[in-house]
């Protein structure tokens, strides 16, 4: 009988394993279907555009307006030539057709409507989300002697009258009129004036800046943007031009529907910023160490150069500012809680070079048009890939080599907010944990583009032939099992465990009741422990379990759906950890003098790399993404053997517990490459494909520094500081408490995960400080919005 029982147990175990594998495949299928859907939509868009293109070549220069356009480009805007996509966009809108342009930050979207406005008869109405953005543009236009104005709550009656006259008077010189969406939605009088302007044939076009705000699917949804849906019905002859830097395929589809412009011409400039170097580094466990490292980077590589350090909370940004100041770095702090004068002062001092580094929350957002930002360092990871792209995109607007460095640590990922959610956060976690894939192609995949990793040109830490890192394969099966054993013990003793408690217990700290008898206290570094936990979360060996109180939400860690596969089977997990190459002599060096061909010397590279690292780097840059994608983890088991194509880089197994060999670890990989979803460790080698690269171009110079009023987004919530710091008790307002969001499992997740008082009770993650919400937010307390 015992033998039967044993067989039954084995069959049950195997069934569980099959179920998990099936689930993995289903997840993978669903993510591939989504990808397929997005790619088909892009191809459809493209073929629709192509049909149109066969009838009209929008890139040509012999339209009725072409010579005027060229003249005014030089005489009014003092520019020599247009950047890619600018001419096409201008030609479409000047021919009276609807158009949407998706172009990355700093690409030159404004000119696409400003120049046509100067060339056209009548008035171009520009809907823009922030008064500060309008004011920046108005200032720039004034300097160019282009007649433009805005209508908002601070417009005097006399000014409004003059604007209204200008709208219908054929002799008026007014070319551009800027308003907020709220103005359109709420002012009947203004709508009446627009009707009149339309009737007399002076409504030249409607421009909608940040057009993604129309869609609820976009992270910056603005309810009043929905009102713009009636504009096509009211003014059918007026061409609409939508501009955005962030829209994904689904958001665009939604926007087209909302604006009633299903057949609009769509132009998409590539999101590739070839001059930006992307890098992820492990974040040291303490603030002091993190500051030391940031100091080292700034002083050795960017000495005397301008940059931004993004922090998660206001408190962090203050601490980092004073830390850097003490270390002799001229820095200033910027967050939404500072007075607008102080923010303007800091912004101005930074723009004029008196302060070199702005240490900021994401309140330091739109409107930053400083061309020579040489580095953007993320002291804490962004909340989503979109955020990361936007924030790091503030570097290198002058198209010179600039670096975007992210410091990753698990505690920083244990935070998410309404705007992003768990899925977004795991997307960025996957980006940080990946040890092999070209960062650029990961960003591309996120934006529905495909760039070939080889075209990264060594401009990310994984493709960089000059990198001082190589990788080493480590068996972490026992580490993972130990983590699961602690969780088992927690369940048996009826305890819930946060990530912080889990790691503490693994390191032999914290409650005695969580100590597992047969498990030795780990000697791996905190950074490695973080990475292993992150890996386990992404790959289903662990899962988060959210608990809600009236005031807060706490994330507890539980064994994930695949935990049993590891505990019961013979599954082995090996990782490639990134480590400093043996004998790497490269010291941090100054940022190279900016050039337009930011390619590291392959010759010099070899002198720094061990043979292993050479092969690794060869792999990164030369092999197909198929190899790269599946390369970093090997899972083996007796029932199911999955060779995640460990790859090409085996520098031998390293004993993680041996302090003397302690590698300088950077990141581990997950086994699958989907950025935005949980990953599986069962990936067939043909699941990935190579990508083709479209390259983003823009050779034009951007030497102008716009004097922009700082933009603030003030929908504050309590900020979060995790880890070791203790939090003072802090009152959480009712309003703050009620900001909830939905996680990917459909659960409601409070915007603040934890509170200081909760921390004291639970030993959970600790909130301390305040975070600033994403830019283009509603409810800016500094009245950046206006009706
Ligand atoms: N054809 C061009 N040649 C040279 N410079 C140009 C050209 N077009 C635009 N620029 C400059 C003007 C600005 O200083 C800079 C960025 O343009 P801008 O219109 O502000 O970008 P954008 O609107 O796409 O960025 P953001 O999304 O950050 O507002 O580029």
């Amino acid at each position: 009988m015992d033998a039967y029982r044993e067989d039954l147990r084995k069959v049950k175990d195997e069934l569980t394993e099959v179920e998990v594998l099936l689930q993995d495949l289903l997840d993978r299928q669903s993510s591939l279907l989504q990808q397929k859907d997005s790619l088909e939509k892009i191809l459809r868009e493209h073929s629709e555009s192509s049909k149109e293109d066969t009838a009209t070549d929008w890139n040509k220069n012999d339209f009725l307006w072409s010579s005027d356009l060229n003249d005014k480009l030089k005489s009014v805007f003092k520019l020599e030539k247009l950047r890619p996509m600018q001419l096409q966009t201008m030609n479409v809108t000047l021919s009276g057709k609807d158009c949407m342009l998706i172009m990355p930050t700093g690409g030159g979207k404004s000119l696409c409507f400003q120049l046509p406005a100067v060339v056209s008869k009548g008035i171009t109405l520009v809907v823009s989300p922030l008064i500060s953005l309008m004011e920046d543009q108005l200032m720039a236009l004034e300097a160019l002697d282009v007649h433009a104005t805005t209508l908002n709550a601070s417009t005097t009656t006399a000014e409004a009258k003059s604007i209204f006259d200008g709208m219908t008077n054929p002799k008026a010189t007014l070319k551009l009129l800027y308003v907020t969406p709220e103005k359109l939605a709420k002012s009947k009088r203004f709508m009446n004036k627009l009707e009149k302007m339309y009737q007399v044939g002076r409504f030249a076009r409607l421009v909608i800046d940040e057009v993604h705000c129309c869609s609820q699917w976009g992270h910056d949804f603005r309810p009043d943007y929905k009102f713009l849906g009636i504009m096509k019905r009211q003014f059918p002859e007026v061409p609409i031009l939508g501009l955005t830097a962030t829209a994904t395929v689904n958001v665009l589809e939604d926007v087209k529907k909302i604006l009633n412009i299903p057949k609009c011409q769509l132009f998409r400039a590539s999101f590739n910023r070839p001059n930006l170097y992307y890098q992820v580094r492990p974040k040291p466990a303490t603030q002091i160490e993190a500051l030391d490292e940031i100091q080292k980077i700034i002083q050795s590589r960017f000495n005397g150069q301008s940059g931004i350090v993004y922090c998660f909370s206001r408190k962090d940004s203050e601490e980092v500012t004073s830390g850097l100041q003490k270390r002799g770095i001229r820095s200033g702090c910027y967050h939404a809680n500072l007075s607008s004068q102080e923010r303007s002062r800091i912004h101005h001092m930074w723009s004029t070079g008196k302060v070199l580094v702005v240490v900021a929350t994401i309140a330091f957002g739109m409107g930053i048009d400083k061309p020579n930002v040489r580095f953007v360092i993320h002291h804490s990871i962004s909340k989503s890939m979109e955020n990361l792209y936007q924030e790091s995109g503030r570097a290198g607007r002058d198209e010179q080599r600039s670096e975007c460095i992210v410091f990753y640590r698990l505690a920083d990922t244990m935070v998410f907010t309404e705007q992003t959610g768990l899925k977004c956060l795991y997307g960025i976690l996957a980006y940080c944990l990946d040890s092999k894939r070209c960062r650029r192609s990961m960003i591309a995949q996120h934006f529905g583009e495909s760039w070939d990793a080889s075209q990264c040109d060594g401009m990310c830490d994984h493709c960089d032939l000059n990198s001082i890192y190589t990788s080493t394969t480590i068996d972490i099966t026992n580490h993972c099992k130990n983590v699961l054993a602690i969780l088992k013990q927690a369940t048996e003793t009826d305890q819930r465990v946060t990530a912080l408690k889990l790691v503490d217990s693994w390191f032999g700290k914290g409650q005695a009741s969580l100590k597992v008898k047969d498990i030795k206290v780990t000697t791996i570094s905190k950074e490695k422990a973080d990475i292993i936990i992150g890996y386990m979360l992404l790959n289903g060996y662990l899962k988060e379990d959210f608990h809600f109180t009236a005031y807060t939400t706490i994330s507890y860690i539980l064994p994930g759906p695949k935990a049993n596969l590891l505990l019961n089977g013979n599954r082995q997990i090996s990782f490639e950890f990134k480590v400093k190459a043996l004998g790497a002599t490269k010291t941090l060096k100054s940022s190279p003098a900016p050039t337009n061909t930011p390619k590291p010397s392959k010759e010099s590279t070899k002198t720094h790399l061990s043979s292993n690292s050479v092969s690794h780097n060869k792999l990164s840059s030369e092999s197909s993404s198929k190899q790269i994608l599946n390369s970093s983890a090997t899972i083996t088991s007796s029932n199911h053997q999955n060779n995640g194509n460990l790859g090409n880089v085996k520098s031998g197994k390293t004993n993680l517990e041996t302090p003397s060999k302690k590698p300088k670890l950077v990141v581990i990989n997950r086994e699958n490459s989907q950025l935005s979803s949980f990953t599986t460790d069962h990936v067939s080698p043909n699941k990935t494909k190579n990508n083709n690269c479209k390259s983003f171009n823009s050779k034009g110079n951007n030497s102008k520094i716009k004097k922009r009023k700082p933009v603030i987004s003030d929908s504050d919530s309590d900020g979060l500081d995790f880890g070791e710091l203790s939090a003072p008790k802090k009152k959480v307002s009712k309003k703050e408490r009620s900001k909830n969001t939905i996680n990917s499992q459909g659960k409601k997740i409070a915007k603040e995960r934890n509170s200081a008082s909760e921390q004291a009770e639970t030993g959970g993650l600790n909130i301390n400080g305040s975070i600033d919400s994403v830019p283009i937010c509603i409810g800016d307390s500094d009245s950046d919005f206006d009706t």
Side-chain angles (χ1 to χ4, degrees), residues 45 81 180-181 184 272 290 311 469 600 619 676 690 765 770 784:
E45 270 168 17
K81 57 182 172 77
T180 56
L184 272 183
N272 190 7
C311 296
Y469 294 105
L619 167 75
S676 55
N690 213 337
L765 301 167
S770 299
D784 233 344

Side-chain angles (χ1 to χ4, degrees), residues 73 79-83 86 103-111 133 137 209-210 245 367-369 390 397 700-704 706 708:
L73 173 71
L79 295 172
E80 274 313 300
K81 57 182 172 77
L82 293 174
R83 291 176 177 173
Q86 286 185 325
M103 190 181 250
T105 301
K109 291 182 283 297
S110 317
L111 191 69
L133 286 183
Q137 296 210 5
D209 203 5
E210 311 290 354
I368 302 167
D369 193 24
Q390 289 289 341
R397 283 166 82 96
N701 286 326
N702 173 14
S703 55
K704 191 170 49 149
K706 282 185 191 171
R708 291 194 167 189

Side-chain angles (χ1 to χ4, degrees), residues 313-316 717-721 727-728 730 767-771:
S313 69
R314 294 170 194 168
K315 181 175 167 288
D316 258 357
S717 57
D718 266 357
L720 306 108
D721 262 280
K730 189 169 192 298
I767 294 179
N768 191 0
S770 299
I771 55 169

Side-chain angles (χ1 to χ4, degrees), residues 752-780:
E752 292 101 37
R753 282 188 144 195
N754 209 340
S755 71
S757 52
E758 200 72 32
Q759 159 75 16
E761 272 177 53
T762 61
L765 301 167
N766 178 7
I767 294 179
N768 191 0
S770 299
I771 55 169
D772 293 333
S773 59
V774 231
I776 329 185
C777 276
I778 309 151
D780 188 311

Side-chain angles (χ1 to χ4, degrees), residues 79-130:
L79 295 172
E80 274 313 300
K81 57 182 172 77
L82 293 174
R83 291 176 177 173
M85 298 298 166
Q86 286 185 325
L87 180 60
Q88 289 94 318
T89 307
M90 291 180 195
N91 282 335
V92 171
T93 190
L94 281 163
S95 70
K97 291 180 186 300
D98 301 320
C99 181
M100 235 176 336
L101 172 67
I102 303 122
M103 190 181 250
T105 301
K109 291 182 283 297
S110 317
L111 191 69
C112 295
F113 61 86
Q114 289 172 346
L115 181 50
V118 170
V119 168
S120 306
K121 283 201 181 106
I123 288 172
T124 292
L125 180 70
V126 185
V127 178
S128 175
L130 296 175

Side-chain angles (χ1 to χ4, degrees), residues 539-710:
N539 288 283
Y541 297 105
L542 297 178
K543 66 177 182 189
E544 289 189 78
D545 182 30
F546 299 103
H547 280 249
F548 309 96
T549 71
Y551 308 105
T552 187
T553 302
I554 307 162
S555 156
Y556 294 112
I557 305 291
L558 291 179
K562 284 201 218 156
N564 278 338
L565 297 185
L566 191 60
L567 292 173
N568 300 337
N570 298 322
R571 179 171 281 236
Q572 298 284 319
I573 307 177
S574 304
F575 288 117
E576 277 184 37
F577 284 78
K578 220 162 149 188
V579 295
K580 231 178 197 166
L582 267 181
T585 51
K586 187 180 164 195
T587 48
L588 295 174
K589 60 179 182 192
S590 299
S591 187
T595 67
N596 276 334
T597 47
K599 201 174 172 180
S601 146
K602 292 185 188 184
E603 279 309 306
S604 65
T605 300
K606 286 181 187 157
T607 60
H608 298 305
L609 295 169
S610 67
S611 56
N612 281 333
S613 60
V614 171
S615 68
H616 160 67
N617 286 306
K618 263 193 170 162
L619 167 75
S620 299
S621 56
E622 290 170 16
S623 62
S624 69
S625 55
K626 183 165 79 187
Q627 284 169 298
I628 294 171
L629 288 172
N630 299 330
S631 62
S632 357
T634 304
I635 313 290
T636 52
S637 78
S638 58
N639 292 335
H640 167 82
Q641 192 163 52
N642 185 333
N643 244 337
N645 180 12
L646 215 211
N648 324 323
V649 190
K650 284 189 179 173
S651 353
K653 303 219 169 192
T654 297
N655 182 1
L656 208 59
E657 305 279 359
T658 310
S660 58
K661 284 195 181 174
K662 216 173 185 181
K664 172 120 186 193
L665 175 143
V666 178
V667 283
I668 57 166
N669 200 8
R670 64 207 177 96
E671 299 131 299
N672 193 337
S673 64
Q674 281 305 298
L675 285 182
S676 55
S677 60
F678 260 91
T679 58
T680 73
D681 42 10
H682 306 283
V683 184
S684 79
N686 54 1
K687 271 179 180 166
T688 56
K689 65 180 176 62
N690 213 337
N691 303 320
N692 293 320
C693 176
K694 294 177 234 159
S695 97
F696 179 54
N697 57 44
S698 324
K699 285 272 176 275
N701 286 326
N702 173 14
S703 55
K704 191 170 49 149
I705 299 175
K706 282 185 191 171
K707 277 194 216 147
R708 291 194 167 189
K709 208 173 96 179

